[in-house]
Amino acid sequence: MPRLRTPRRLALALPAAFGALALTTLPAFATSSPAQLATSRTNGVTYLKSLQAADGSYAGSGLSNEWAFSAFAASGTAVVDVAPGGDTTKNARTVYRDLLSTSGWPSASPVVTDYERGTLNAYAAGIDPARVSASRNLVADIYSYWQTAEPGYFGPSANFNGTVFAALALGGARTQAGGTRIPQSLTDSMVTRIRANQHVDGGWTYSKAEGDPTALNSASDVDMTGAAMAALCVSGVPGTDAGVVKAKNFLKGKLVATTGAFNSLYGVNTSSNGWGVAGLNACGINPQTGDFLTVNGKTPIDFLIANQYNPGGGFKYQPSDTAPSSYSSIDALRAVAGGGFTAAPPVPVTPGAPQWVAQPTFTAGTATELALSVDDGTGGLKVCSVSFTPTGTTTTLGDVLAAATSAATPAGCVTGVTPSSGSDTVTVVNGKANSGSSTWKVSVDGSAFAGAAREKVIKVGDTVALRWGA
């Protein structure tokens, strides 16, 4: 099973001191009230804070609790404000940023979901994922897993969740100004693949189904249905879209009337409910009304809160459990707080702490990467990470394209550029020349496309898109 898609059936029991006190008692016939939601969020945040190590860390070897950052952000708590014993020098954001910046992170054999996880949680922590450090650009890391032979997929297509989380990360982790940083052609390519993998029953699983009638007709799971519908919606697909409606109806069909649980492939559990609700939240679908209020007056949120220990704040994985699960508590709190799979960082309360941290410039002599896409205007899209060593605090488009001819992953993103030197405007890329009003243009971090001058200044972490057209 792909690394990001953690097998939550494995026991994750923690000491009950923080998480397991009295369970919440819900009214017999009502949705969770605003007061109950507020209490759940407050106690859930308290529990997640208890998971922080003495050195300030949440991430390390094995199962990582860094997903807590998305739950904190959704709940209105800035990650930089989370510090053991109030020691701000060990705040969770700084410690996580330091970890992401190390050359050994994530491992000797990384997979694309490692970088997607890092992107989603860095963003929630207020770390610009494209500007983690002078050498770490998580957006470029994701770009390096583009599948040239199967455009639109990231990582091996058999592990479809790599593509779902690429869409969640690249679409959800916006610029500091709140804009979309990747070009529409790249978004469209991922949306096309996600649609092609939707099962007949309206849902998805973590495995590829496209082109396989048996797989497309097999049973979907609640978890990946929540993630995939969220990926569509963060990519700009409206909640009224036919594919999103099919996914909503799939989740509706999995509701257990007496509890509000989703009947998951893995049995009734809070993590599956959390992922399903996160998908509904991302698509603007209220999980407490309409289709998600059962005939018994129960909702998916009711089920989550009914399995939360209070005032400890931790959530059980399954109703029969006798202790909270850290991972399930993260999934559940993020859903109760109204979040999807990431959230913009709240403004910190720690004096002097900024909402965002980011590498300000290139460091001359320090190897780094940039994310680059090349759209030939006729359906040919190339995506890659470009490796190079800057000689100053900025570089130029011409230098980035030159580096891409020999140091791009995957290779072949740029095979040739005219002119190959100087400061003039680019007229030919990969053998395709300007023609009349159809010319090569460039966009940086989602800006409007404009003439592709070789001398255009490119800064650290810029997401560069070239496009041929009018």
Side-chain angles (χ1 to χ4, degrees), residues 37-92:
L37 292 172
T39 298
S40 177
R41 289 194 299 269
T42 298
N43 292 342
V45 165
T46 298
Y47 173 73
L48 294 192
K49 285 182 176 180
S50 77
L51 302 179
Q52 187 175 29
D55 63 1
S57 66
Y58 273 87
S61 60
L63 177 65
S64 171
N65 286 326
E66 69 207 272
W67 284 109
F69 300 161
S70 59
F72 279 135
S75 301
T77 297
V79 174
V80 70
D81 293 332
V82 179
D87 184 351
T88 57
T89 65
K90 297 178 181 178
N91 73 79

Side-chain angles (χ1 to χ4, degrees), residues 34 46 48 73 75 99 118 122 131 146 152 158 170 208 250 267 301 312 384 410 423 460:
T46 298
L48 294 192
S75 301
L99 173 67
R131 300 171 176 87
W146 173 259
L170 297 176
K208 181 182 180 182
F250 169 81
I301 298 295
C384 61
S423 59
V460 66

Side-chain angles (χ1 to χ4, degrees), residues 180-435:
T180 301
R181 70 176 80 223
I182 66 171
Q184 189 62 46
S185 57
L186 176 51
T187 297
D188 291 345
S189 71
M190 292 185 288
V191 167
T192 296
R193 293 299 190 179
I194 293 170
R195 290 190 189 281
N197 280 276
Q198 188 169 23
H199 292 210
V200 172
D201 64 12
W204 290 264
T205 68
Y206 70 88
S207 298
K208 181 182 180 182
E210 180 181 7
D212 182 345
T214 299
L216 289 170
N217 282 280
S218 66
S220 298
D221 80 66
V222 168
D223 305 52
M224 281 307 298
T225 297
M229 67 187 295
L232 289 176
C233 290
V234 301
S235 299
V237 175
T240 54
D241 173 82
V244 174
V245 171
K246 283 181 64 178
K248 181 193 74 170
N249 289 337
F250 169 81
L251 292 177
K252 175 185 175 182
K254 294 296 179 180
L255 269 178
V256 178
T258 55
T259 63
F262 289 124
N263 190 13
S264 165
L265 285 178
Y266 317 111
V268 166
N269 68 86
T270 55
S271 283
S272 292
N273 259 55
W275 281 44
V277 170
L280 296 173
N281 289 340
C283 292
I285 300 168
N286 191 327
Q288 290 222 92
T289 60
D291 289 334
F292 295 95
L293 176 60
T294 75
V295 295
N296 292 69
K298 295 297 182 179
T299 75
I301 298 295
D302 290 342
F303 174 76
L304 293 173
I305 295 181
N307 285 282
Q308 183 178 24
Y309 291 96
N310 282 309
F315 291 76
K316 296 179 178 185
Y317 171 59
Q318 292 181 316
S320 60
D321 292 345
T322 58
S325 156
S326 60
Y327 196 89
S328 295
S329 296
I330 292 167
D331 289 338
L333 177 59
R334 186 172 55 224
V336 168
F341 287 84
T342 192
V347 175
V349 298
T350 301
Q355 184 180 14
W356 291 97
V357 289
Q359 175 71 21
T361 64
F362 290 118
T363 298
T366 297
T368 191
E369 299 172 295
L370 286 172
L372 172 67
S373 61
V374 182
D375 178 2
D376 69 5
T378 57
L381 178 65
K382 297 179 181 293
V383 176
C384 61
S385 173
V386 180
S387 300
F388 69 105
T389 301
T391 58
T393 57
T394 63
T395 189
T396 65
L397 176 62
D399 286 344
V400 172
L401 296 179
T405 62
S406 59
T409 306
C413 198
V414 177
T415 56
V417 179
T418 303
S420 59
S421 61
S423 59
D424 290 343
T425 298
V426 171
T427 58
V428 183
V429 178
N430 296 343
K432 186 157 191 172
N434 290 349
S435 177

